[in-house]
Amino acid sequence: GENVEQHPSTLSVQEGDSAVIKCTYSDSASNYFPWYKQELGKRPQLIIDIRSNVGEKKDQRIAVTLNKTAKHFSLHITETQPEDSAVYFCAASKGNQFYFGTGTSLTVIP
Amino acid sequence: KAGVTQTPRYLIKTRGQQVTLSCSPISGHRSVSWYQQTPGQGLQFLFEYFSETQRNKGNFPGRFSGRQFSNSRSEMNVSTLELGDSALYLCASSLQDQETQYFGPGTRLLVL
């Protein structure tokens, strides 16, 4: 089955700096890669996703890149703000099953 | 549309008991997946249902089971509860394969 690894497990940045979270996957057939943000005590919420026919996608301060050859994808958050503090999960999917990384706890220091 | 709902939100059980959790997907969504979330383990996939059929099952013991009804609502059952079953159980629904999964608020289960 698919194996998704996520790094780092914790990340602290100063407000205004950028944050990068990286994930690798094992199954080359995976073709859909969503990222979720989970604030404390709340449900995971989709923040951005990318499909395997696209190399990069941006949405305001958030971007995701995908390298299919290396089987890794990354989340980039620019101009971080305190409200970006949360746990972020990456996932890889083919068909109807999603495999999640173990999460990155991001803290943005004001 | 209303989001994914889960009931109950909190449960306290003792070892050996059984529990049933319920998930109502977004209207029109036919795929429902269940996950167990524990600190440090992330989201562990339990099973996925589509049109009342279990299509995938994760690596959990047979004490964990589920079903889906004709209206796409889903239940999961855990029998003979163990302390290690204490976790947040999340369900997620999607319209079809490889579409965004939308999560419910979860049921927090504490086994004493």
Side-chain angles (χ1 to χ4, degrees):
Chain A
E2 175 67 279
N3 181 44
V4 177
E5 294 189 355
Q6 183 172 347
H7 299 280
S9 57
T10 60
L11 179 60
S12 292
V13 299
Q14 292 288 333
E15 181 177 359
D17 287 350
S18 295
V20 180
I21 303 170
K22 298 181 179 181
C23 289
T24 61
Y25 61 100
S26 59
D27 190 340
S28 57
S30 291
N31 53 15
Y32 176 57
F33 307 91
W35 286 87
Y36 287 85
K37 174 184 180 182
Q38 187 176 28
E39 297 177 60
L40 191 62
K42 296 189 176 181
R43 72 187 76 189
Q45 299 266 18
L46 178 79
I47 55 171
I48 196 167
D49 57 8
I50 192 167
R51 298 188 185 275
S52 59
N53 58 347
V54 175
E56 183 176 4
K57 185 177 179 180
K58 287 185 180 180
D59 183 5
Q60 299 182 350
R61 296 186 296 109
I62 295 173
V64 58
T65 59
L66 171 65
N67 184 325
K68 287 189 295 182
T69 303
K71 290 188 279 190
H72 67 71
F73 55 114
S74 302
L75 177 71
H76 304 254
I77 306 174
T78 59
E79 301 172 18
T80 54
Q81 301 167 2
E83 51 265 38
D84 294 330
S85 296
V87 177
Y88 292 81
F89 292 96
C90 64
S93 170
K94 57 172 182 176
N96 49 46
Q97 190 160 350
F98 287 73
Y99 299 86
F100 284 83
T102 50
T104 295
S105 179
L106 173 64
T107 301
V108 179
I109 304 166
Chain B
K1 287 183 179 179
V4 180
T5 59
Q6 291 185 245
T7 57
R9 295 293 309 280
Y10 304 93
L11 267 178
I12 299 176
K13 293 285 187 179
T14 57
R15 280 181 299 174
Q17 287 187 307
Q18 75 165 14
V19 67
T20 299
L21 313 181
S22 180
C23 171
S24 291
I26 292 171
S27 177
H29 286 195
R30 295 163 64 189
S31 172
V32 175
S33 297
W34 287 89
Y35 298 89
Q36 181 194 67
Q37 186 176 31
T38 54
Q41 291 294 315
L43 291 154
Q44 300 290 312
F45 172 75
L46 281 155
F47 25 66
E48 187 260 353
Y49 287 87
F50 185 88
S51 293
E52 303 179 67
T53 300
Q54 186 184 91
R55 297 195 295 185
N56 290 292
K57 183 171 168 54
N59 190 26
F60 278 81
R63 300 185 297 108
F64 292 81
S65 63
R67 60 177 176 170
Q68 186 180 34
F69 302 94
S70 58
N71 62 358
S72 294
R73 187 178 70 85
S74 178
E75 290 181 346
M76 68 164 280
N77 182 277
V78 188
S79 61
T80 321
L81 284 165
E82 301 177 359
L83 296 178
D85 296 334
S86 294
L88 178 67
Y89 290 88
L90 291 160
C91 78
S93 75
S94 62
L95 186 60
Q96 57 191 25
D97 291 353
Q98 295 188 327
E99 291 296 328
T100 302
Q101 285 196 328
Y102 295 90
F103 283 87
T107 294
R108 188 164 296 281
L109 172 65
L110 177 61
V111 182
L112 302 175

